[in-house]
Amino acid sequence: MNLDSKVPSGHITTKWSNHRFEMKLVNPANKRKYQIIVVGTGLAGSSAAASLSELGYQVKVFTLHDTPRRAHSIAAQGGINAAKNYPNDGDSIWRLFYDTVKGGDYRAREANVYRLAEISNHIIDQCVAQGVPFAREYGGLLENRSFGGAQVSRTFYARGQTGQQLLLGAYSAMMKEIANGSVSLFTRRELVDIVVIDGKARGIVVRNLINGKFESYSAHAVLLCTGGYGNAYFLSTNAMNCNVSAAWAAYKRGAAFANPCFTQIHPTCIPVHGDYQSKLTLMSESLRNDGRVWVPRKQGDTRKPSEIPEDERYYFLEEKYPSFGNLVPRDVASRNAKEVCDKGLGVGTTKLAVYLDFSDAIKRLGKKVIEERYGNLFDMYEKITGVNPYEEPMMIYPAIHYTMGGIWVDYNLMSTLPGLFVLGEANFSDHGANRLGASALMQGLADGYFIIPYTIGHYFASNTFSKIDETHLAFSDAEKEIEQTIQRLMSIQGNRTVDDFHRQLGQIMWDYVGMSRNEKGLKYALEKIPEIRDEFWKNVKVTGVSNDFNQTLEKAKRVADFLDFAELLTLDALERRESCGGHFREESQTEEGEAKRDDENYSHVSVWEYNGPNLKPNFHKEPLIFEYVKPSQRSYK
Amino acid sequence: MSESNTIHLTLRVWRQPNAATPGRFETYEATNISTEMSFLEMLDVVNDQLALNGIEPIAFDHDCREGICGACGCVVNGQAHGHLKGTTLCQLHMRHFRDGDTLVIEPFRAKAFPIIKDLVVDRSAFDQIIQAGGYISVKTGSAPEASSILVPKKNADLAMDAAACIGCGACVAACPNSSAMLFVSAKINHLGQLPQGQPERYRRAIHMIEKMDELGFGNCSNHLECEAACPKEIQFVNIGRMNRDYIIAKLFHNEEAF
């Protein structure tokens, strides 16, 4: 497998601008002859669809939701990073680049990260012009706040709803193009296969979720903007419909999967409260700006938090990491929460929670300021838990939140399947082994607004395309194949529900492939996952019929794919015998229990190539070379 | 966490196989419901039971379950998103119900929202209204430096208040006229409060309102049910502001619309 990253030559600060000049262009009059399929309408998908349509390409957009605005980007709360340096606190493109490479624990491609930092400022310009109502100061200028893993304030935000506002910006830009007639929108369609003709991705097959029928669409290129795979763990902060199926279909058609074991556990989520629980809710990391994380120093301390005196509280992040304190990166904060709970210091009924306390901030700044900053988050917490966080500390615990791994892409965002581009969380590119807060929105929009419009033109201009349409045999073959899978699912009529299997898989993943991993546990998971999968295919119950609106069937197909994918994730975690970022291998830690990288053996992207059903995938490495940021043991002390 | 209890409920749920077939209420028992569950988790539990008994689960739209995506929503005992103020259905927790309650669960009903199945309705009319003008026409790459546009904090805050709309459709379901004016006015005021939104302000008002009328939404007759039902507490005053823009547009800017 050819893993040419296509990183341009030259100094890192000029790579992207040189590359933009060197890439071929498509004549404006010829652009409308090219059709592009965009799958997914989150930040990456919507921004790409809008921008490509503005250039003159013919774009077809697909979403499994009833409207593009539901995509899970909408749930991002805290903010979006950019190197504007408005607060005059020492920020720069170089510092954002440096922080992101370091935050990712030196497992990202330097050139990609630099480009991301470079583009970050244009994103803010674009979003402001679209009418995104970012927080303002009294003088009318944009306000910034700080976020984990950075010592500067570079995060732009719109209350606790930044993702919503950015998505609505990209959504409305796309709606404008739909009105212009160059974007066609297909809602309630779920990708079931990618069609490859003459070695290039030339179309997709979707299931129409209203009538269950398969539909084929051809194009000159396909963009996957289908998000991450956190729901492999069943309980995660992802929305219920987030799934790996589109990425998995791409993988099976020849797009290699990179670093699947790089999953991010977010430290501030509302703890699990029962078996019936369907998902976990994130409380924005921005809360750690003013909230202090602590547990009682004594095991089994059942006093109310307000009754525990200051000197009997263990502010473990502030004590262990004096320079970053409560604002250490997510992986560090999560592992420390787990560690104190493992020591029996956890709070709440399950003892799997730590306090996030705002009483000092309320004393210092007043309730009104806190309300202005986090009002909607506090309300949400109270709605879910029935506890008022202005009066009692919040209880939080880590949960699966984001996946840094994804489909391998080169510098042009193209996968190993020519013509298949992957954007946003669905690709593996910029966050290494750990993503910093407020960087997901930045990356999704960078990919969609400012990278793909350039790189896709180069792809079109440097390739020739055979004339094909949906009548090509490859489409009907793909439809037949997926029809068989669907009929197989419908015919089992077993005794267990789809969710029951999903929950069982999730428990294995969380226990053995979760916040901390070891060889024995991973090997155990690799035995259990196929067992669950075998039983699933013998004993799952899918009600209703296939040619109808059937949500159970939708779920069953997604869980079937998760059951395949979970094995790859686990295999990758086993293969990487080092700790880095969100991937913590117990065998590889410092004396103080921090993640210990092994740069000599693991400074690479782990890339997996599909090899056929039930066969071990081929393993490849893309070496990572750090010319500009010298890897060091990450320290936030 | 607050203290957990278990309650039993009777559900009267609207079941309708598709738009062409008439629907009816079916009665199901929801037993051993923890008061810590969300309303949708309660439906999950009921659905699991139905599935195991060979009955097709109740179809309902949902996604983020954090109250922000706008996918979920149905009418519970006559109120869109249930009785709790400023709350989406996914954020309504069962501690707000009592043991023995009967809950009547129906889809959002409006001419412009045809039923797809059970509690699932087609809200694509909202997308069409946005397509008619719910945006600022700025192409990627053509934006000026962000800090060159000054927005007074008050305007930014008012814009954000309106922009918080999640497009769930509860306002339409709650309105006796099935009017979409709260939804439309939220977008018009979000953009109309900002300097960036001024060039297209009146054109936008005319186009969006005319599209809304065309799609079969009713008119506002000041019941204010929309504001009461809105899970994001979008204020009714937005409708007044929108009407003002519309009148000014019609009187002084009508030619711009075309």
Side-chain angles (χ1 to χ4, degrees), chain B residues 168-240:
Chain B
C168 65
C171 47
V172 175
C175 176
N177 309 329
S178 299
S179 170
M181 285 177 85
L182 192 67
F183 169 78
V184 179
S185 67
K187 185 48 69 186
I188 284 178
N189 285 299
H190 156 210
L191 300 175
Q193 285 291 343
L194 298 170
Q196 306 93 297
Q198 297 312 309
E200 293 165 290
R201 180 170 177 179
Y202 297 108
R203 191 174 186 268
R204 178 182 306 121
I206 291 178
H207 283 185
M208 290 181 77
I209 290 170
E210 287 178 355
K211 179 55 87 176
M212 170 186 85
D213 290 343
E214 181 195 316
L215 291 167
F217 291 101
N219 257 313
C220 174
S221 49
N222 299 324
H223 285 79
L224 278 73
E225 291 287 344
C226 53
E227 184 186 87
C230 177
K232 295 293 141 183
E233 303 185 296
I234 306 290
Q235 290 182 356
F236 185 74
V237 65
N238 284 299
I239 296 181

Side-chain angles (χ1 to χ4, degrees), chain A residues 355-375:
Chain A
Y355 290 126
L356 178 63
D357 197 338
F358 292 87
S359 51
D360 283 354
I362 291 172
K363 251 180 256 162
R364 192 175 69 243
L365 304 163
K367 192 179 161 191
K368 195 164 169 282
V369 173
I370 295 298
E371 203 174 323
E372 226 166 64
R373 283 186 192 166
Y374 313 110

Side-chain angles (χ1 to χ4, degrees), chain A residues 535-564:
Chain A
E535 207 208 327
F536 174 88
W537 284 102
K538 283 183 199 133
N539 199 19
V540 73
K541 186 173 184 77
V542 182
T543 50
V545 291
S546 62
N547 54 351
D548 188 14
F549 187 91
N550 187 338
Q551 291 173 315
T552 314
L553 177 59
E554 290 167 27
K555 260 196 297 198
K557 167 72 173 57
R558 293 172 196 161
V559 172
D561 290 333
F562 276 132
L563 283 164
D564 285 341

